[in-house]
Coordinates of all heavy atoms in Angstrom, one line a residue:
E105 N 74.9 -61.2 -18.5 CA 73.8 -60.3 -18.8 C 72.5 -60.9 -18.1 O 71.8 -60.1 -17.4 CB 73.4 -60.1 -20.2 CG 74.6 -59.5 -21.0 CD 74.9 -58.0 -20.8 OE1 74.0 -57.4 -20.2 OE2 76.0 -57.6 -21.2
K106 N 72.3 -62.3 -18.1 CA 71.2 -62.9 -17.4 C 71.2 -62.6 -16.0 O 70.2 -62.7 -15.2 CB 71.2 -64.4 -17.8 CG 70.4 -64.7 -19.0 CD 70.2 -66.2 -19.1 CE 69.8 -66.6 -20.5 NZ 70.3 -68.0 -20.8
L107 N 72.4 -62.6 -15.4 CA 72.6 -62.4 -14.0 C 72.5 -60.9 -13.6 O 72.7 -60.5 -12.5 CB 73.9 -62.9 -13.5 CG 74.1 -64.4 -13.6 CD1 75.5 -64.9 -13.3 CD2 73.1 -65.2 -12.6
G108 N 72.3 -60.1 -14.6 CA 72.1 -58.6 -14.4 C 73.4 -57.9 -14.3 O 73.5 -56.8 -13.9
I109 N 74.5 -58.5 -14.9 CA 75.8 -57.9 -15.0 C 76.2 -57.6 -16.5 O 76.4 -58.6 -17.2 CB 76.9 -58.7 -14.2 CG1 76.5 -58.9 -12.8 CG2 78.4 -58.1 -14.4 CD1 77.4 -59.9 -12.0
H110 N 76.4 -56.3 -16.7 CA 76.8 -56.0 -18.1 C 78.4 -56.3 -18.4 O 79.1 -56.0 -17.5 CB 76.5 -54.6 -18.5 CG 77.0 -54.2 -19.8 ND1 76.5 -54.7 -20.9 CD2 78.0 -53.3 -20.1 CE1 77.1 -54.2 -21.9 NE2 78.0 -53.4 -21.6
V111 N 78.6 -57.0 -19.4 CA 80.0 -57.3 -19.8 C 80.5 -56.6 -21.0 O 79.7 -56.7 -22.0 CB 80.1 -58.8 -19.9 CG1 81.5 -59.3 -20.3 CG2 79.6 -59.7 -18.7
Q112 N 81.5 -56.0 -20.9 CA 82.0 -55.2 -22.0 C 83.1 -56.1 -22.7 O 84.0 -56.6 -22.1 CB 82.9 -54.0 -21.5 CG 82.8 -52.7 -22.2 CD 83.6 -51.7 -21.4 OE1 83.2 -51.3 -20.3 NE2 84.6 -51.3 -22.1
V113 N 82.8 -56.5 -24.0 CA 83.6 -57.4 -24.7 C 84.7 -56.7 -25.5 O 84.3 -55.8 -26.3 CB 82.9 -58.4 -25.6 CG1 83.9 -59.3 -26.3 CG2 81.9 -59.2 -24.8
L114 N 86.0 -56.9 -25.2 CA 87.0 -56.0 -25.8 C 87.7 -56.9 -26.8 O 88.2 -57.9 -26.5 CB 88.0 -55.7 -24.8 CG 88.8 -54.4 -25.0 CD1 88.3 -53.2 -24.3 CD2 90.2 -54.7 -24.6
D115 N 87.7 -56.5 -28.1 CA 88.5 -57.3 -29.1 C 90.0 -57.0 -29.1 O 90.4 -55.9 -29.6 CB 87.8 -57.0 -30.5 CG 88.5 -57.9 -31.6 OD1 89.3 -58.6 -31.3 OD2 87.9 -57.8 -32.8
A116 N 90.8 -57.8 -28.5 CA 92.2 -57.7 -28.6 C 92.9 -58.8 -29.3 O 94.0 -59.2 -29.0 CB 92.6 -57.7 -27.0
R117 N 92.3 -59.5 -30.3 CA 92.8 -60.6 -31.0 C 94.0 -60.3 -31.8 O 95.1 -60.9 -31.5 CB 91.8 -61.2 -31.9 CG 90.6 -61.8 -31.2 CD 89.5 -62.3 -32.2 NE 88.9 -61.2 -32.8 CZ 87.9 -61.3 -33.7 NH1 87.4 -62.5 -34.0 NH2 87.3 -60.2 -34.2
D118 N 94.1 -59.2 -32.5 CA 95.3 -58.9 -33.1 C 96.5 -58.6 -32.3 O 97.6 -59.0 -32.5 CB 95.1 -57.7 -34.1 CG 94.3 -58.0 -35.2 OD1 94.0 -59.2 -35.4 OD2 93.8 -57.0 -35.8
T119 N 96.2 -57.9 -31.2 CA 97.3 -57.6 -30.2 C 97.9 -58.8 -29.6 O 99.2 -58.9 -29.5 CB 96.7 -56.7 -29.0 OG1 95.8 -55.6 -29.6 CG2 97.8 -56.1 -28.2
F120 N 97.1 -59.8 -29.3 CA 97.7 -61.0 -28.7 C 98.5 -61.9 -29.7 O 99.6 -62.3 -29.6 CB 96.6 -61.8 -28.0 CG 96.3 -61.5 -26.6 CD1 95.3 -60.5 -26.4 CD2 97.0 -62.0 -25.5 CE1 95.1 -60.0 -25.1 CE2 96.8 -61.6 -24.2 CZ 95.8 -60.5 -24.0
F121 N 97.9 -62.0 -31.0 CA 98.6 -62.7 -32.0 C 100.0 -62.1 -32.4 O 100.9 -62.7 -32.7 CB 97.6 -63.0 -33.2 CG 96.7 -64.2 -33.0 CD1 95.3 -63.9 -33.0 CD2 97.1 -65.4 -32.7 CE1 94.4 -65.0 -32.8 CE2 96.3 -66.4 -32.5 CZ 94.9 -66.3 -32.5
K122 N 99.9 -60.8 -32.4 CA 101.1 -60.1 -32.8 C 102.1 -60.4 -31.7 O 103.4 -60.7 -32.0 CB 101.0 -58.5 -32.8 CG 100.8 -58.1 -34.2 CD 100.7 -56.5 -34.3 CE 99.9 -56.1 -35.6 NZ 99.0 -55.1 -35.4
A123 N 101.7 -60.3 -30.4 CA 102.7 -60.5 -29.3 C 103.2 -62.0 -29.3 O 104.3 -62.2 -28.8 CB 102.0 -60.1 -28.0
L124 N 102.5 -62.9 -29.8 CA 102.8 -64.3 -29.8 C 103.6 -64.7 -31.0 O 104.2 -65.8 -31.1 CB 101.6 -65.2 -29.5 CG 101.0 -65.2 -28.2 CD1 99.6 -65.7 -28.2 CD2 101.9 -66.2 -27.3
K125 N 103.7 -63.9 -32.1 CA 104.3 -64.2 -33.3 C 105.7 -64.7 -33.1 O 106.7 -64.0 -32.5 CB 104.2 -63.0 -34.2 CG 104.4 -63.5 -35.7 CD 104.0 -62.4 -36.6 CE 104.3 -62.8 -38.0 NZ 104.2 -61.9 -38.9
G126 N 106.0 -65.9 -33.6 CA 107.4 -66.4 -33.6 C 107.9 -67.0 -32.3 O 109.0 -67.5 -32.2
I127 N 107.1 -67.0 -31.2 CA 107.4 -67.5 -30.0 C 107.1 -69.0 -29.9 O 105.9 -69.4 -30.1 CB 106.8 -66.8 -28.8 CG1 107.2 -65.3 -28.9 CG2 107.2 -67.4 -27.4 CD1 106.6 -64.5 -27.7
R128 N 108.2 -69.8 -29.5 CA 107.9 -71.3 -29.5 C 108.1 -71.8 -28.0 O 107.5 -72.8 -27.7 CB 108.9 -72.0 -30.4 CG 108.8 -71.5 -31.8 CD 110.0 -72.0 -32.6 NE 110.2 -73.4 -32.4 CZ 109.4 -74.4 -32.9 NH1 108.6 -74.0 -33.8 NH2 109.7 -75.6 -32.7
D129 N 108.9 -71.1 -27.3 CA 109.2 -71.6 -25.9 C 108.0 -71.4 -25.0 O 107.4 -70.3 -25.0 CB 110.4 -70.8 -25.3 CG 110.7 -71.2 -23.9 OD1 111.3 -72.3 -23.7 OD2 110.2 -70.4 -23.0
P130 N 107.6 -72.5 -24.2 CA 106.4 -72.3 -23.4 C 106.4 -71.2 -22.4 O 105.4 -70.4 -22.3 CB 106.4 -73.7 -22.6 CG 107.1 -74.6 -23.5 CD 108.1 -73.8 -24.2
E131 N 107.5 -71.0 -21.7 CA 107.4 -69.9 -20.7 C 107.5 -68.5 -21.4 O 107.0 -67.6 -20.8 CB 108.7 -70.0 -19.7 CG 108.6 -71.2 -18.7 CD 107.3 -71.0 -17.8 OE1 107.2 -70.0 -17.1 OE2 106.4 -71.8 -17.8
K132 N 108.1 -68.4 -22.5 CA 108.1 -67.2 -23.2 C 106.7 -66.8 -23.8 O 106.3 -65.7 -23.8 CB 109.1 -67.1 -24.4 CG 110.6 -67.1 -23.8 CD 111.6 -66.8 -24.9 CE 112.8 -66.7 -24.2 NZ 113.9 -67.5 -24.9
K133 N 106.0 -67.9 -24.1 CA 104.6 -67.7 -24.6 C 103.8 -67.1 -23.4 O 103.0 -66.2 -23.5 CB 103.9 -69.0 -24.9 CG 104.2 -69.5 -26.3 CD 103.3 -70.7 -26.6 CE 104.0 -71.7 -27.6 NZ 103.4 -72.9 -27.8
R134 N 103.9 -67.8 -22.2 CA 103.2 -67.3 -21.0 C 103.5 -65.9 -20.7 O 102.7 -65.1 -20.3 CB 103.5 -68.3 -19.9 CG 102.8 -69.6 -20.0 CD 103.2 -70.6 -19.0 NE 102.3 -71.7 -19.1 CZ 101.2 -71.9 -18.5 NH1 100.8 -71.0 -17.6 NH2 100.3 -72.9 -18.7
E135 N 104.9 -65.5 -20.8 CA 105.4 -64.2 -20.5 C 104.7 -63.2 -21.5 O 104.3 -62.1 -21.0 CB 106.9 -64.2 -20.5 CG 107.5 -62.8 -20.2 CD 107.2 -62.3 -18.9 OE1 106.7 -63.1 -18.0 OE2 107.5 -61.1 -18.7
A136 N 104.6 -63.6 -22.8 CA 104.1 -62.7 -23.8 C 102.6 -62.4 -23.4 O 102.1 -61.2 -23.6 CB 104.3 -63.2 -25.1
I137 N 101.9 -63.5 -23.0 CA 100.4 -63.3 -22.7 C 100.3 -62.4 -21.5 O 99.5 -61.5 -21.5 CB 99.8 -64.6 -22.6 CG1 99.7 -65.4 -24.0 CG2 98.4 -64.6 -21.9 CD1 99.3 -66.8 -23.9
T138 N 101.1 -62.7 -20.5 CA 101.1 -61.9 -19.2 C 101.3 -60.3 -19.6 O 100.4 -59.5 -19.2 CB 102.0 -62.3 -18.3 OG1 101.8 -63.7 -17.9 CG2 102.1 -61.5 -17.0
Q139 N 102.3 -60.2 -20.3 CA 102.7 -58.7 -20.6 C 101.6 -58.0 -21.4 O 101.3 -56.9 -21.2 CB 104.1 -58.6 -21.4 CG 105.2 -58.9 -20.4 CD 105.4 -58.0 -19.2 OE1 105.0 -56.8 -19.4 NE2 105.9 -58.4 -18.1
T140 N 101.0 -58.7 -22.4 CA 100.1 -58.2 -23.3 C 98.9 -57.9 -22.5 O 98.3 -56.9 -22.7 CB 99.8 -59.1 -24.5 OG1 101.0 -59.5 -25.0 CG2 98.8 -58.5 -25.5
F141 N 98.5 -58.9 -21.7 CA 97.3 -58.7 -20.9 C 97.3 -57.5 -19.9 O 96.6 -56.6 -19.9 CB 97.0 -60.0 -20.2 CG 95.7 -60.0 -19.3 CD1 94.5 -60.3 -20.0 CD2 95.7 -59.7 -18.0 CE1 93.3 -60.3 -19.2 CE2 94.5 -59.7 -17.3 CZ 93.3 -60.0 -17.9
Y142 N 98.4 -57.6 -19.1 CA 98.4 -56.6 -18.0 C 98.9 -55.2 -18.4 O 98.5 -54.2 -18.0 CB 99.3 -57.1 -16.9 CG 98.7 -58.2 -16.0 CD1 99.1 -59.5 -16.4 CD2 97.7 -58.0 -15.2 CE1 98.4 -60.6 -15.8 CE2 97.1 -59.0 -14.5 CZ 97.5 -60.3 -14.9 OH 96.9 -61.4 -14.2
K143 N 99.9 -55.2 -19.3 CA 100.5 -54.0 -19.7 C 99.8 -53.2 -20.8 O 99.1 -52.2 -20.6 CB 102.0 -54.2 -20.2 CG 102.8 -52.9 -19.9 CD 104.3 -53.3 -20.2 CE 105.2 -52.4 -19.5 NZ 106.4 -53.0 -19.2
K144 N 99.6 -53.9 -21.9 CA 99.0 -53.3 -23.0 C 97.5 -53.2 -22.9 O 97.0 -52.1 -22.9 CB 99.3 -54.2 -24.3 CG 100.6 -54.1 -24.9 CD 100.4 -54.1 -26.5 CE 101.6 -53.6 -27.3 NZ 102.5 -54.7 -27.6
V145 N 96.8 -54.4 -22.8 CA 95.3 -54.3 -22.9 C 94.8 -53.7 -21.6 O 94.0 -52.7 -21.7 CB 94.7 -55.8 -23.1 CG1 93.3 -55.7 -23.1 CG2 95.3 -56.3 -24.5
F146 N 95.2 -54.3 -20.5 CA 94.5 -53.7 -19.3 C 95.1 -52.3 -18.9 O 94.3 -51.5 -18.4 CB 94.8 -54.7 -18.1 CG 93.5 -55.2 -17.6 CD1 93.0 -56.4 -18.3 CD2 92.7 -54.6 -16.7 CE1 91.8 -56.9 -17.9 CE2 91.5 -55.0 -16.3 CZ 91.0 -56.1 -17.0
G147 N 96.3 -52.2 -19.2 CA 96.9 -50.8 -18.9 C 96.1 -49.7 -19.6 O 95.7 -48.6 -19.0
S148 N 95.7 -49.9 -20.9 CA 95.0 -48.8 -21.6 C 93.5 -48.8 -21.1 O 93.0 -47.7 -20.9 CB 94.9 -48.9 -23.1 OG 95.5 -50.2 -23.6
L149 N 93.0 -49.9 -20.8 CA 91.6 -50.0 -20.3 C 91.5 -49.3 -19.0 O 90.6 -48.5 -18.7 CB 91.3 -51.5 -20.1 CG 89.8 -51.8 -20.0 CD1 89.2 -51.5 -21.4 CD2 89.6 -53.2 -19.8
V150 N 92.5 -49.4 -18.1 CA 92.4 -48.8 -16.7 C 92.6 -47.3 -16.9 O 91.8 -46.6 -16.3 CB 93.6 -49.4 -15.9 CG1 93.9 -48.5 -14.8 CG2 93.2 -50.7 -15.3
K151 N 93.5 -46.9 -17.9 CA 93.6 -45.5 -18.1 C 92.3 -44.8 -18.7 O 91.9 -43.8 -18.1 CB 94.7 -45.2 -19.2 CG 96.0 -44.9 -18.5 CD 97.0 -44.4 -19.6 CE 98.4 -44.7 -19.0 NZ 99.2 -45.4 -20.1
E152 N 91.7 -45.5 -19.6 CA 90.4 -45.0 -20.2 C 89.4 -44.8 -19.1 O 88.6 -43.9 -19.1 CB 89.9 -46.0 -21.3 CG 90.6 -45.8 -22.6 CD 90.3 -47.0 -23.5 OE1 89.3 -47.6 -23.3 OE2 91.2 -47.3 -24.3
N153 N 89.3 -45.9 -18.3 CA 88.2 -45.9 -17.3 C 88.5 -45.1 -16.0 O 87.6 -44.9 -15.2 CB 88.0 -47.4 -16.8 CG 87.0 -48.1 -17.6 OD1 85.8 -48.2 -17.3 ND2 87.5 -48.6 -18.8
G154 N 89.7 -44.7 -15.9 CA 90.1 -44.0 -14.6 C 90.0 -44.9 -13.3 O 90.1 -44.5 -12.2
A155 N 90.0 -46.3 -13.6 CA 90.0 -47.2 -12.4 C 91.5 -47.3 -11.9 O 92.4 -47.2 -12.6 CB 89.5 -48.5 -12.9
R156 N 91.4 -47.6 -10.6 CA 92.8 -47.8 -10.0 C 93.1 -49.2 -9.6 O 94.1 -49.6 -9.1 CB 92.9 -46.8 -8.7 CG 93.2 -45.5 -9.2 CD 93.5 -44.5 -8.0 NE 92.4 -44.4 -7.0 CZ 92.5 -44.8 -5.8 NH1 93.6 -45.3 -5.3 NH2 91.5 -44.8 -4.9
F157 N 92.0 -50.1 -9.7 CA 92.2 -51.5 -9.2 C 91.7 -52.4 -10.3 O 90.7 -52.3 -11.0 CB 91.3 -51.7 -8.0 CG 91.7 -50.7 -6.9 CD1 91.1 -49.5 -6.8 CD2 92.6 -51.2 -5.9 CE1 91.4 -48.6 -5.7 CE2 93.0 -50.3 -4.9 CZ 92.4 -49.0 -4.7
L158 N 92.4 -53.6 -10.3 CA 92.0 -54.7 -11.1 C 91.7 -55.8 -10.2 O 92.5 -56.3 -9.2 CB 93.1 -55.3 -12.0 CG 92.9 -56.6 -12.7 CD1 91.7 -56.6 -13.6 CD2 94.1 -57.0 -13.5
L159 N 90.5 -56.5 -10.2 CA 90.0 -57.5 -9.3 C 90.2 -58.8 -10.1 O 89.7 -59.0 -11.2 CB 88.5 -57.4 -9.2 CG 88.0 -57.5 -7.8 CD1 88.6 -56.4 -6.9 CD2 86.5 -57.3 -7.8
Q160 N 91.1 -59.7 -9.6 CA 91.2 -61.0 -10.3 C 91.2 -62.3 -9.5 O 91.5 -62.2 -8.3 CB 92.5 -60.9 -11.2 CG 93.8 -60.9 -10.4 CD 95.0 -61.2 -11.4 OE1 94.9 -61.0 -12.6 NE2 96.1 -61.4 -10.9

Side-chain angles (χ1 to χ4, degrees):
E105 298 289 346
K106 272 193 197 154
L107 294 170
I109 295 173
H110 175 65
V111 181
Q112 219 176 293
V113 179
L114 202 103
D115 184 356
R117 289 176 292 182
D118 286 349
T119 314
F120 276 90
F121 280 120
K122 257 188 210 139
L124 284 161
K125 200 168 177 188
I127 304 180
R128 304 166 47 78
D129 177 78
E131 285 302 298
K132 288 193 178 131
K133 274 185 204 171
R134 287 174 170 266
E135 180 62 15
I137 289 172
T138 300
Q139 289 298 328
T140 308
F141 184 84
Y142 290 100
K143 210 173 202 153
K144 276 219 169 99
V145 177
F146 248 88
S148 15
L149 202 63
V150 160
K151 259 192 212 133
E152 277 163 29
N153 268 266
R156 286 189 296 120
F157 300 89
L158 166 66
L159 226 63
Q160 72 168 12

